Amino acid sequence: MAERKNILIIRGESTHNKFSHNNDEAGLLIQSKLEVSKYAGQLEVTTSLHYPDNPALVEKADLIIISSDGGTRHALYDKEDPTKHMKHLDGVLKKTGAGLIVIHWATDAPSPAFGKLQPENAAMMMDWIGAVYYWVQKGKDPKSSWTWKYPVLEMTVNQEHPISNGVPETFQLQDEYYFNFFTDADGRNPGSDRVTFLHSAHAPSHRDDMANKENWRDQACYWAFTRENGGRSVAMTSAHMYHTWANPHFFQSFTNSVFWTLNLEIPDDGVEIATPTVAELLSLGDTEIYKMARHFK
C-alpha cells in the first residue's frame, strides 16, 4: 500500500461576516470532506488555526493549504517578525517540493500595514504562486489589484489541464473577485506566461474601465503554477463567498487541485469527493449563506 500523503490546512480567523471570509470554517470543511471521502485511507489531514507552533507539522507536509485574510491578518503573519513564518515555509517548500494551495485573500503577502507590500514576503509569494495580491486604497495605481464584489461571471475552464477533469468548458459563479494579477510579461507580476490559467473571466483591468468593455480582458480567477524546484502550486482569487464551496464545478476543480499538487493521478471524470451541501456548510460555526446567492448549486 502506498504511503499516506500528509495534508496540512492552515486556517486564519473568519473575519468579515457570516457568509464570506469564513477561513476557519472553510478549512474545517475541506478537512471533513477529505476525511470522509473514498480517499481517506490515502490521506492524513491535519489542520491548524494560525501557523502551527510545531514546525514539524509544516516540514512533514506533502501539501499545505492556506485559507486566510491578508496583511496583518494573514495566517502566516508574525507580529514580532513579519517574515518569520514565510521564511520557514519558503525553506520547507524549497527543500521538500511540497504542494501548495492558496485561497482568496491569502494570495496577499503578510505585511505590517493594509495595502502595503512587505518586499521579502511579496517576493516569496511570487515565487510560490507566480503572483501576489496588491491593493492600494486610492485605487489609481495601475499596478494595483482591485476587487469586484459579488458579480455572477462566466468562468472559462482550461480543458487541457488535468485539474479540469470532470469540469465543464464554462460555468457560472458568483463571488468577490480580485483582478489585475497578471499583465503582460513586463508587468508587476511575472506575467501570465508564467502560470496556467484554469478559470478565466472577462473583466476590466481597473475599476475605471467598468463601463468601457473594449478594455476588458481575460483574467485568471484560478490558476496553477509549477515552482522552480518542480513543486506544484494552485491559487485562486475566488472563494470569498462561503457558498462558493457548494458550487460543484468550483469544488471539483478544488479536489482535483489537491490531487494535482500531491502529484496523484486525477481520474478522467475528476476526483470523486461529493460537493458540500448547504447543510454541511451551515453546520460549521456561526455561518450563513448570502441572501442573494446565485449559481452555487
Side-chain angles (χ1 to χ4, degrees), residues 183-198:
T183 56
D184 294 330
D186 59 349
R188 67 174 187 87
N189 277 333
S192 59
D193 58 321
R194 291 278 306 278
V195 307
T196 301
F197 287 16
L198 298 174

Side-chain angles (χ1 to χ4, degrees), residues 131-207:
V132 64
Y133 173 90
Y134 171 55
W135 178 88
V136 291
Q137 192 165 3
K138 293 181 180 180
K140 299 296 183 182
D141 187 341
K143 297 180 180 180
S144 176
S145 309
W146 72 282
T147 301
W148 190 356
K149 292 182 180 293
Y150 315 161
V152 176
L153 298 182
E154 182 166 274
M155 298 291 111
T156 299
V157 177
N158 180 353
Q159 295 285 300
E160 296 183 2
H161 198 283
I163 287 176
S164 300
N165 288 3
V167 184
E169 293 182 2
T170 63
F171 68 93
Q172 291 188 311
L173 182 67
Q174 180 190 42
D175 217 319
E176 175 192 277
Y177 299 96
Y178 303 146
F179 288 122
N180 202 33
F181 267 67
F182 300 102
T183 56
D184 294 330
D186 59 349
R188 67 174 187 87
N189 277 333
S192 59
D193 58 321
R194 291 278 306 278
V195 307
T196 301
F197 287 16
L198 298 174
H199 299 170
S200 304
H202 202 63
S205 294
H206 307 285
R207 189 179 302 281

Side-chain angles (χ1 to χ4, degrees), residues 70-73 105 108 111-117 133 135-137:
T72 58
R73 297 201 294 251
W105 198 8
D108 192 9
S111 62
F114 180 52
K116 290 186 177 180
L117 288 178
Y133 173 90
W135 178 88
V136 291
Q137 192 165 3

Side-chain angles (χ1 to χ4, degrees), residues 54-76:
N54 181 1
L57 292 178
V58 181
E59 292 160 4
K60 73 176 185 179
D62 298 297
L63 167 62
I64 296 118
I65 300 172
I66 306 172
S67 177
S68 81
D69 285 3
T72 58
R73 297 201 294 251
H74 204 291
L76 273 60

Side-chain angles (χ1 to χ4, degrees), residues 1 148 184 213 273:
M1 183 177 177
W148 190 356
D184 294 330
K213 291 197 172 184
I273 300 178

